[in-house]
Structure formats: C-alpha cells, structure tokens
Amino acid sequence: MELIALGDRDHADMVRAVTYGRQSHKSETDSQASPLMQRDKGIAYINSQDNWRHTGHYEDVGLSGYDPNVYRPDFERLMEDARARKFDVVVIYMLSRLTRQGAAEAMKIQQELASYGVALVSTQEPFINTSDDNPFGVAFFALIAGLAHQESKNKSKFIRDAFAALKAKGSHSSGPVPYGFDVEMVQADGLTLRMLKPGQTSDAEIGPDSTPADNVKHVIERAESGMKENAIATLMTEKRAKTPLESLDEDAAKARIEAARKRRKNGSTDAAGMEWSDKVVRRILRDPRLAGFAIGPVDPKTRDRTLLRDEEGQPVRPHEGFIEPKRWYDLQALLDGRKRTKQPSRGGSMTFLGSWGVLRCGLCGAGMTISNVDSTYVCNLRRSIGDVPKHVMRIRMDDADSVVASRLWAKVATLDPEDDDDVAILAAAAERFAVQGANPEAAAELAEQEAQLEHVQASMKELYADRKDGLYEGPTGRAAFRDTIQKYRAHETRCTARIDELRAAATTSTRLPLDEWAADSDNGDPMEPGGLWERWSVEDRRAFLALFVDSVTVNSSTTRRGKAWDRANGRIEIEWAKPAPTEEDNESVTA
C-alpha cells in the first residue's frame, strides 16, 4: 500500500474530497450507521481540514457490502469518477461501509484508488488514512479490513442460526407478509415468532372496497367452483379488486416491481403491474399458508412454495389459515387435474349424473356437463388435444339417469356373496357407507388424512421424476433428495396407518342396510312410482351411487335403431366400486 501525497498536484490550494455511505437497510434515524449520519460525519471531517472542500456524495442504501454479487450503483459511479480523477480523497465513516468482504477486497479497492492518486480516509478509524499525513495507515488498514470481514461472518452466522430456529417453529421470519394476511407477534420458547393470520374481512362484493382478505376468499371459492386461473384474474380485474401490489404502500410496490424486472431478462417491458394475472392467482392458490402451513423452499421446477415438514415428515402448521387443510389439499388436487369439481351446472341446476365427475366421456375421459338447452349431458371438445380429435358427445339426461339407476339397483339386488367380484363391490360399498355414517369429527379427520396421503404420494412421484430429469445431481443434490424422500415416506406410512384405523373403526360400527332398502318399497322395487328412489333427493341418489360405482362412461352411438332407452343402455359402461387399496397394494414408488 502506498501513501498519497495530496500537496503535489495542479490544484494544491484545494483538496477535492467526496463522501461515500452505505447501509444494508434504509433508515433515516440518528443511529451511527444511518446514511444521513455517515454523510454528516464525513462533511464535518472535510470541513475540519485545511484547504479541503466537499465536492460530492455517493450513497448505496439497502445494499449489502458482504455479498460480492450485489451491484452497488453509487460505488461503481464513485470508482468511475476516481478513474476520471474528479476528486482527491474518499472519506468514509468506517471501512465496513466500503466493503465487508475482507482484507483482500479492501486492499484491492484502496490500491485501485491509489493508482488514480486518490487517498482513503475513515472518520471513525483515524489510523485508516492513506494520505501522506499518516504513515501508520498502511499497517492498520489491512488489520481493520480483516476485522470487518470477521464481524460480518459472525453476524451472518448468528442471523442464519436465529432464522433456522424460527423456521423450525414455522415463524414467518422474513420477507413480505403474504397477500391477505396480517402478522402478530407471539412469544414461544424464548423466541419472538411472527405468526400469520387472515386479515380484516368485510361484507363487500369483489371490487375497490373489498379487502385483500376478501379477495383471497373470493379467489379460493371461484377456483373450487371450477373457474380457471385466467378467468379468475379477468373477473378480479374487471371488478377492480386491489391486486397484491396495490395493497402495498407506494415505495414497497415500486421495490417489488423493480425486483421482478431485474429477475427477468427483458426487464424493461413489464406487464401491467396493477392488473390481476393468472400467475398472481396461481401464486395465491398454491400457497400452503392458505391452510396455516409454514412454507419450505421453492420447488426448483414449478417455482411453487413447498410445505415445511418436521423431522418426522409432518407438515408444520403454526399459522391461522383461510381454509382447513382438507380444503387446501383438495384445491391442489383440483389445480393439478387430479380432482374433479362436484358442482351444479352453469345454470345452477343439479342432476343425478352431470357436473360432479362421475359421468365421463368415452372419447377423451373428461367429465360431462349439463346442457339445459336440450336436456342432455355433453362433452364438447372444441379443439384436438394430442391424439384425441375435437368432438361433441351427447346423451339425453332422462335416458342416462334411468339406465344408470336401473342397472345400479339391479346390481345391488343380485350381489352374490359367493362371487369374488361381488364381494369386492360389497366390501367397497360397506366401507364407503360406514365413512358416510361416521361421526363428523372422525369423517373430517379421515377426509383430511386421505387428502394428505394423495398429496404426499403425488409429491413423491414428482420428486422421482425431477431426479430422473437430473435436478438432484452431485453429492449435495443426492443428499437433499434422500432427506426429502425419507420425510415423504414417513408421512405416507403414518397417513396410511391412520386411515386404516379410521376406516376399521367406522366399518365395525355400521353395516350395509340392503334389506331395509329393498323392504322400503311395497313390491321390493325401489324404482317403482312413489318408491324409495323417487322420494330421495338428488344428493341422496348421488351418495347411493357413490357407494357402488366409481365412474360411468358414455361411448359413441353405434346405431340409430331401437328405442332411445335401449340405445342409451348400449352406450353406457359402469365401473363398479373397488375397495380402498391396502398398505401392501399402496406401496410407494421406488427409486
């Protein structure tokens, strides 16, 4: 390191001095680290020196001096001006404001400044002064630079350890509060945890007056009704509901938009930041915090937040959510296409077979909906998808309902306890009937456990597919894969065991009332006029069908001859119920 002679230059009667300040977080308080304090101290020092004049100030706020990947605009401008020899001295508050990357980086900066005839002075560390006024500056400079680096390393380790402890308890330890949520501080085990809870709601319809929490609820309800993300986004925009960005204050919104632009290669052309998009809707719906779960790392493939799991693989659920876990798991299955909506038709009517997932198109496998115009069940595929051509599949409602009901009751009446296939149908129906009649608490727990099992098994399949695609290469990747899959397997085992317990408890306490169903009608025919079937509501009929049937498929018509009922009967295939897979049948996918 060399000392800079400030007297040997063309403008010897004046030393041009500039100040530089940096702070990782914006603060205008009177703390010693605040940018304002750094600037004032630097100017005061310059004014105390003979023939020194303050000719400029450089400042980076909200930017780390430790991370070498952080771009500091004013630091770069400072070095450009030094190369242009626009000043003679850089005055800093402390060396840690210039860099925290250690002695090597500090020496590199000082040597480059010196090559342009620029000295470096610290107001709080008088031994750091590379002008020819201080011959001890060289020795102390490297020492202080090293201490600054070690301080930052210690501080970073402390922060990492603290975050790890908070994260293990599910605290919302950092980052912006999710849209629609508020935060409350809770003390637990000597830690102050930031716990999420739904924000304030109102009775307002979707629009400018609806709160973020209102909007989250609206988005969830519409997704559950089968509305797609882009349709939800269009609706929210048309209704002028506040977006996640609009709910922030102006500075926070600008910072969020700018950060998003920097992450994109074509940063200058950002979509309308104050409009809803399918990505915004998806981000809300996929967030585990909707159900009170703590979030883990971002999935490298989908970019969705994952569930934070404890050492036993159980999801950590510390927060108050908008919906119960069962609804969230069902929502994820719906978004993945693994769950079908069970809603009335668009016109609001509810029929025996239409629009609840049981009636399937024989050409494409999609669920058939209701056409109130001509009283038909219909699948209308408007464009070809893969090998499936565009098509319209229709069947009259009355004919389909009558065929399925008649074949259902005929099957129930002729089930043979000596026939293996019939025994399997009886076992499945008995188990499902027991679950339907279980006490509400047991039924709710069973539904949640089944949803958790389906979710974790889907996650396992995705994890194996990701590894096959090379996302877990190298020792670190393989270790991460092993740790995650072990947690998934442990959770799968516990869910399966609990489901077996709940099903067994329900089944042993109930029986399938076949005789009572048959005896309810005068002639033993539930389909007779005024009989059991006629008296049941649509919901009762659906529940009964679900006991014995997994799906009903409608195939293309092969003839126009014969009665309409007979033609419909020839087009319909029924897949009868099967018992739930046992633990042996349900083994997880292996590597």
Side-chain angles (χ1 to χ4, degrees):
M1 179 184 297
E2 62 178 293
L3 298 179
I4 306 301
L6 298 178
D8 298 337
R9 53 193 67 215
D10 297 337
H11 48 274
D13 59 331
M14 182 188 73
V15 174
R16 301 166 300 172
V18 298
T19 49
Y20 174 78
R22 182 194 62 78
Q23 188 180 34
S24 296
H25 300 284
K26 185 175 181 180
S27 171
E28 296 300 337
T29 67
D30 60 356
S31 68
Q32 69 168 5
S34 75
L36 181 60
M37 179 60 73
Q38 293 179 51
R39 181 176 182 275
D40 288 347
K41 289 286 186 180
I43 294 175
Y45 180 87
I46 292 169
N47 291 337
S48 70
Q49 305 298 307
D50 293 337
N51 300 326
W52 285 32
R53 180 187 299 178
H54 184 240
T55 60
H57 179 69
Y58 303 81
E59 181 176 282
D60 289 308
V61 178
L63 299 172
S64 171
Y66 185 74
D67 187 347
N69 296 316
V70 170
Y71 176 79
R72 291 187 281 162
D74 256 25
F75 174 76
E76 297 299 331
R77 188 167 66 89
L78 173 79
M79 298 305 291
E80 283 294 327
D81 289 349
R83 296 180 189 108
R85 303 181 186 274
K86 292 183 178 181
F87 48 77
D88 307 308
V89 181
V90 175
V91 178
I92 57 176
Y93 183 76
M94 296 178 70
L95 184 59
S96 61
R97 301 302 90 201
L98 187 67
T99 179
R100 284 183 177 272
Q101 295 177 44
E105 179 65 18
M107 295 283 283
K108 178 180 175 182
I109 294 171
Q110 191 279 329
Q111 287 171 357
E112 183 172 1
L113 290 173
S115 69
Y116 306 123
V118 177
L120 182 66
V121 175
S122 168
T123 64
Q124 301 302 299
E125 300 150 328
F127 32 78
I128 295 181
N129 182 340
T130 63
S131 71
D132 56 0
D133 290 337
N134 186 359
F136 297 102
V138 175
F140 283 103
F141 187 92
L143 173 63
I144 296 302
L147 291 176
H149 179 60
Q150 186 60 43
E151 176 196 356
S152 189
K153 285 177 61 178
N154 293 341
K155 181 178 178 182
S156 297
K157 183 179 185 304
F158 172 79
I159 292 173
R160 287 196 302 270
D161 292 345
F163 274 9
L166 292 170
K167 184 178 178 182
K169 294 184 178 294
S171 172
H172 181 71
S173 55
S174 64
V177 176
Y179 181 68
F181 281 90
D182 286 338
V183 167
E184 63 179 352
M185 312 306 287
V186 177
Q187 295 291 328
D189 299 331
L191 295 173
T192 300
L193 310 181
R194 300 173 73 218
M195 293 304 179
L196 301 176
K197 63 178 182 179
Q200 183 179 2
T201 58
S202 69
D203 296 327
E205 295 294 325
I206 304 176
D209 296 330
S210 57
T211 68
D214 291 333
N215 295 336
V216 169
K217 289 185 174 182
H218 287 310
V219 167
I220 294 171
E221 289 167 0
R222 276 152 182 76
E224 289 176 329
S225 73
M227 187 179 286
K228 301 300 183 184
E229 290 99 318
N230 57 350
I232 296 173
T234 299
L235 173 66
M236 301 297 282
T237 300
E238 290 175 349
K239 296 290 186 179
R240 296 172 56 208
K242 289 183 179 179
T243 69
L245 280 177
E246 285 179 306
S247 67
L248 301 173
D249 61 68
E250 185 177 353
D251 288 343
K254 286 182 179 179
R256 191 85 65 85
I257 292 172
E258 187 61 31
R261 284 174 175 167
K262 286 182 178 179
R263 287 194 298 268
R264 288 190 288 270
K265 292 181 180 179
N266 60 340
S268 59
T269 56
D270 191 22
M274 297 307 177
E275 291 187 5
W276 288 82
S277 69
D278 56 343
K279 291 182 179 179
V280 171
V281 173
R282 176 188 172 85
R283 191 179 304 119
I284 291 172
L285 295 173
R286 288 293 192 181
D287 196 326
R289 292 170 292 196
L290 283 184
F293 294 120
I295 54 171
V298 174
D299 185 291
K301 187 169 76 171
T302 66
R303 309 307 301 169
D304 293 331
R305 285 288 191 178
T306 60
L307 290 171
L308 178 66
R309 298 180 182 274
D310 60 21
E311 292 301 319
E312 296 180 348
Q314 288 275 36
V316 178
R317 188 168 180 255
H319 308 298
E320 179 185 347
F322 279 88
I323 56 178
E324 292 301 310
K326 170 64 168 60
R327 279 183 68 186
W328 185 81
Y329 285 122
D330 285 346
L331 181 59
Q332 304 316 299
L334 181 63
L335 297 173
D336 291 337
R338 294 182 284 113
K339 183 179 178 63
R340 307 179 187 109
T341 57
K342 297 187 178 183
Q343 300 293 328
S345 69
R346 292 178 181 176
S349 61
M350 180 179 287
T351 63
F352 176 41
L353 297 175
S355 297
W356 65 286
V358 71
L359 192 66
R360 316 299 296 169
C361 172
L363 291 177
C364 66
M368 299 184 72
T369 57
I370 302 167
S371 172
N372 290 319
V373 176
D374 54 6
S375 298
T376 61
Y377 296 126
V378 61
C379 172
N380 187 0
L381 188 65
R382 299 180 183 275
R383 60 184 179 84
S384 299
I385 299 178
D387 296 332
V388 181
K390 64 178 182 179
H391 60 266
V392 178
M393 178 77 75
R394 291 184 185 275
I395 190 168
R396 286 183 56 83
M397 285 187 198
D398 290 345
D399 293 338
D401 289 352
S402 176
V403 166
V404 173
S406 297
R407 287 168 62 177
L408 170 63
W409 280 109
K411 186 70 171 180
V412 171
T414 58
L415 286 169
D416 183 0
E418 300 298 324
D419 181 274
D420 289 343
D421 291 339
D422 285 355
V423 168
I425 295 172
L426 280 167
E431 184 178 89
R432 296 176 187 187
F433 182 75
V435 170
Q436 285 183 7
N439 68 72
E441 291 79 9
E445 183 183 357
L446 178 59
E448 180 176 337
Q449 290 292 332
E450 288 175 334
Q452 284 197 39
L453 179 62
E454 183 180 7
H455 185 267
V456 77
Q457 288 175 339
S459 299
M460 291 170 70
K461 290 179 182 179
E462 292 174 3
L463 191 67
Y464 280 116
D466 289 345
R467 188 182 68 166
K468 187 177 180 181
D469 292 340
L471 296 184
Y472 291 94
E473 297 293 336
T476 302
R478 287 192 292 270
F481 173 84
R482 286 194 300 270
D483 179 64
T484 304
I485 203 67
Q486 285 172 2
K487 289 183 177 181
Y488 284 168
R489 284 174 174 166
H491 189 48
E492 179 191 35
T493 300
R494 275 191 301 276
C495 284
T496 303
R498 184 54 181 159
I499 288 170
D500 291 343
E501 290 176 7
L502 292 168
R503 284 177 176 167
T507 304
T508 55
S509 61
T510 57
R511 67 181 184 83
L512 203 59
L514 296 174
D515 295 339
E516 286 86 341
W517 286 329
D520 190 89
S521 302
D522 294 339
N523 300 321
D525 181 9
M527 295 284 291
E528 67 183 2
L532 182 63
W533 190 251
E534 187 176 292
R535 299 197 307 272
W536 272 351
S537 66
V538 174
E539 290 87 345
D540 292 334
R541 294 178 184 181
R542 287 184 171 190
F544 183 74
L545 180 70
L547 295 177
F548 298 94
V549 173
D550 282 337
S551 66
V552 176
T553 300
V554 178
N555 296 310
S556 301
S557 179
T558 58
T559 180
R560 292 182 177 273
R561 290 185 170 184
K563 296 180 179 179
W565 193 95
D566 292 329
R567 293 199 304 271
N569 188 39
R571 295 175 61 190
I572 289 176
E573 293 181 11
I574 296 179
E575 182 180 352
W576 300 101
K578 300 180 181 65
T582 63
E583 189 170 355
E584 290 78 14
D585 299 330
N586 201 26
E587 290 181 354
S588 59
V589 182
T590 55

